[in-house]
Amino acid sequence: MPSAIDAAGWRFDNSYARLPPGLFTRSTPVPVRRPGIVFLNEPFATRLGLDAAALAGPDGAAIFAGNAIPPGADPIAQAYAGHQFGHFTNLGDGRAILLGEQIAPDGSRHDIQLKGAGRTRYSRGGDGRAALGPMLREVLISEALHALGIPTTRSLAVASTGEAVLREEALPGAILVRVAASHIRVGTFQYAAAVGDPTLLPALLAHAISRHDPGLAEADEPALAFLEAVIDRQAALIARWMQVGFIHGVMNTDNMAVSGETIDYGPCAFLDAYDPTTVFSSIDRQGRYAWANQPGIAHWNLARLAESLLSTLPGDEEAALDRISTVLATFPARFAEHALAGWRAKLGMLTEEEGDQALVTSLLAAMEGIGADFTATFSGLAAAAEAPAAFPPFDAGPLADWRAAWRARLGRQSQPLADARALMRRTNPLVIPRNHRVEEALAAAATGEMAPFEKLLDAIAHPFDDTPASFPYRDGPPPGCGPYKTFCGT
Ligand code: AMP
Ligand code: MG
């Protein structure tokens, strides 16, 4: 039963906190010196049933900073494990507190988590805190993915703490209020399977199914059906990422949500020039999480989920392994299917032809050859479909040859070219959070100047709108920027 609705609209029901206690630790946020609100996502607050005006004042700041607990919340830190760059580690919420699950007016359930809320049982050597820059960066990138129609955790607010966090230098401290369908990760299942308590895994599985796939509770083998659902969501998600040039950057198994939402915005960034081997993260020295490696890594992570679920399958273990391996092996074909459907839309294809994948591959190869800007090339396609090309890069060189073959392909579909162009315009964004724009906004925010952040946020919230307001946000980096590097969001 959800708690009663309070004046600000909080209405919690904390189903995770009713699971066996081995899966979490009750913990309260560590109060901060001077709570303030740096960012509040008002439209999203309203969607959650919250009174944005009430939350914008000191009471809201106290809640977002962890100094006050909203009524009905039951704060916990979740336990989880994970493979980080291939190595298994016990982790858990070392700097995040789950306040509870807000029940929105439409009945949907949303984890409300404070990221940077102080030390917990799982903090290991860390301080439990977060710095303002990385939390604002998470707001920008998560809200960009949301506006692009890609499943993601959301950002409700960022609170300032009035305290410094010590990294390589002293930085202003902040707390991000992260909202998610759930925070159940592949690593949560790894934890439940690895720990010596046999009650954890079945309870977690039943909980995850009831939360994300209630229709599967009655399946012959719920664990297998759940695995299949997670595989399909991840195949769809990774295809969507790649088609906007998104590189997650730290696809450890603890950073993969079974809900199919993008989670954990650390060193992620978007491609400017197309190069499939691109890695932005300074700690990813082997290029494990490069743009093109993301489907292979997702498959590897899902194998860890499959392993974790194995013991819940009935009957002979070898036969169970066979069944689970068969499901796991569907990932590459599912990914290919989601990816091709997405590329077709980006290219304005309303029908299916045998040679479509080859056309995609040759476009990407031509783009790589000339270092074409990923976003501008795709958003220029609708104009390039005209004769003559109204987008100059397609006038000469390898892209001109490709354009001829592609125009012939579009000519073979019965739908008018206007339909194809409309499809291209709704699938190829004009605006993504360009790295140099993100840096510019964060640098200004560090000095207390929030206008560049707000303008950028506004532009990325309307990525497909061809309006003059978006012009400054469309271009790639100015010449001489050099390769972009990102750092883990700690
Ligand atoms: P991440 O790289 O954000 O996915 O975090 C990996 C693990 O490190 C998780 O268990 C986090 O809770 C933990 N962690 C990250 N930063 C901190 C911090 N400042 N203090 C404590 N734990 C942290
Ligand atoms: Mg993480």
Side-chain angles (χ1 to χ4, degrees):
M1 270 288 284
S3 57
I5 305 181
D6 94 314
W10 293 112
R11 186 182 183 222
F12 282 105
D13 174 51
N14 307 310
S15 61
Y16 205 88
R18 294 193 290 269
L19 289 175
L23 288 168
F24 60 89
T25 303
R26 283 210 158 68
S27 337
T28 43
V30 180
V32 305
R33 193 173 303 151
R34 213 170 46 247
I37 291 187
V38 182
F39 164 73
L40 177 62
N41 190 339
E42 294 188 9
F44 186 49
T46 306
R47 252 213 60 215
L48 292 172
L50 297 170
D51 180 347
L55 291 174
D59 291 352
I63 287 174
F64 295 147
N67 285 27
I69 304 296
D74 189 356
I76 59 170
Q78 290 174 308
Y80 55 87
H83 276 88
Q84 299 187 300
F85 291 90
H87 304 285
F88 186 79
T89 323
N90 264 320
L91 299 162
D93 286 332
R95 57 160 169 175
I97 303 276
L98 177 64
L99 289 181
E101 300 147 27
Q102 166 77 359
I103 309 297
D106 66 3
S108 55
R109 180 178 295 263
H110 306 263
D111 270 13
I112 309 285
Q113 195 203 59
L114 304 182
K115 182 170 170 181
R119 286 179 55 79
T120 73
R121 179 181 167 187
Y122 312 108
S123 296
R124 298 172 292 160
D127 61 3
R129 292 299 187 191
L132 179 64
M135 297 306 101
L136 289 177
R137 195 165 190 282
E138 173 153 348
V139 173
L140 289 172
I141 314 280
S142 63
E143 291 303 298
L145 285 203
H146 173 71
L148 290 165
I150 300 175
T152 175
T153 63
R154 301 286 306 275
S155 301
L156 175 61
V158 174
S160 51
T161 61
E163 296 175 6
V165 293
L166 218 55
R167 296 295 178 257
E168 262 127 47
E169 53 190 321
L171 298 169
I175 293 173
L176 172 75
V177 187
R178 173 161 77 178
V179 181
S182 86
H183 284 85
I184 306 170
R185 309 142 189 270
V186 167
T188 318
F189 280 90
Q190 290 182 283
Y191 173 83
V195 103
D197 178 348
T199 66
L200 298 193
L201 189 57
L204 177 66
L205 177 64
H207 175 84
I209 288 177
S210 81
R211 214 149 157 185
H212 300 301
D213 299 286
L216 303 181
E218 303 307 320
D220 283 348
E221 288 192 285
L224 218 50
F226 175 69
L227 176 66
E228 191 171 358
V230 177
I231 287 176
D232 200 62
R233 286 195 282 268
Q234 287 296 332
L237 178 67
I238 311 294
R240 298 296 311 278
W241 286 356
M242 292 176 74
Q243 291 172 349
V244 294
F246 179 73
I247 303 171
H248 182 284
V250 62
M251 286 177 70
N252 296 333
T253 55
D254 54 302
N255 294 338
M256 182 180 264
V258 299
S259 65
E261 287 182 339
T262 310
I263 191 170
D264 250 315
Y265 292 85
C268 57
F270 286 75
L271 286 174
D272 288 306
Y274 173 64
D275 174 354
T277 67
T278 303
V279 173
F280 291 116
S281 169
S282 57
I283 59 168
D284 189 0
R285 294 199 187 85
Q286 315 288 318
R288 179 180 170 94
Y289 300 138
W291 179 85
N293 287 356
Q294 297 182 109
I297 290 292
H299 193 192
W300 190 90
N301 289 351
L302 291 161
R304 307 289 79 78
L305 177 62
E307 276 165 12
S308 307
L309 290 170
L310 192 56
S311 72
T312 68
L313 293 189
D316 172 67
E317 189 172 321
E318 211 154 298
L321 187 58
D322 258 6
R323 297 200 298 289
I324 218 159
S325 305
T326 305
V327 171
L328 184 62
T330 63
F331 179 84
R334 283 172 196 266
F335 172 77
E337 200 177 306
H338 286 292
L340 183 54
W343 292 122
R344 280 194 173 113
K346 286 176 81 74
L347 298 184
M349 295 170 174
L350 293 146
T351 56
E352 297 180 5
E353 280 190 16
E354 194 74 28
D356 290 348
Q357 181 59 56
L359 212 49
V360 173
T361 307
S362 61
L363 171 60
L364 292 174
M367 286 167 61
E368 186 182 356
I370 57 170
D373 185 87
F374 187 90
T375 303
T377 304
F378 281 100
S379 64
L381 279 174
E386 297 296 314
F391 185 63
F394 286 89
D395 279 344
L399 283 181
D401 296 340
W402 179 84
R403 174 174 174 266
W406 169 61
R407 287 201 2 113
R409 163 69 180 82
L410 294 186
R412 290 193 295 273
Q413 52 192 27
S414 60
Q415 293 86 346
L417 191 58
D419 291 5
R421 295 183 67 212
L423 175 62
M424 288 184 258
R425 280 196 297 260
R426 29 172 221 279
T427 42
N428 295 306
L430 293 158
V431 177
I432 51 150
R434 294 278 185 179
N435 300 319
H436 63 292
R437 288 291 183 193
V438 171
E439 291 309 311
E440 177 185 81
L442 298 183
T447 69
E449 174 52 71
M450 291 304 290
F453 172 88
E454 278 150 20
K455 279 192 183 155
L456 175 59
L457 189 61
D458 194 47
I460 60 184
H462 306 99
F464 301 102
D465 291 4
D466 192 0
T467 57
S470 73
F471 283 134
Y473 299 98
R474 296 189 193 182
D475 292 336
C481 259
Y484 185 63
K485 275 273 164 250
T486 55
F487 301 89
C488 244
T490 50

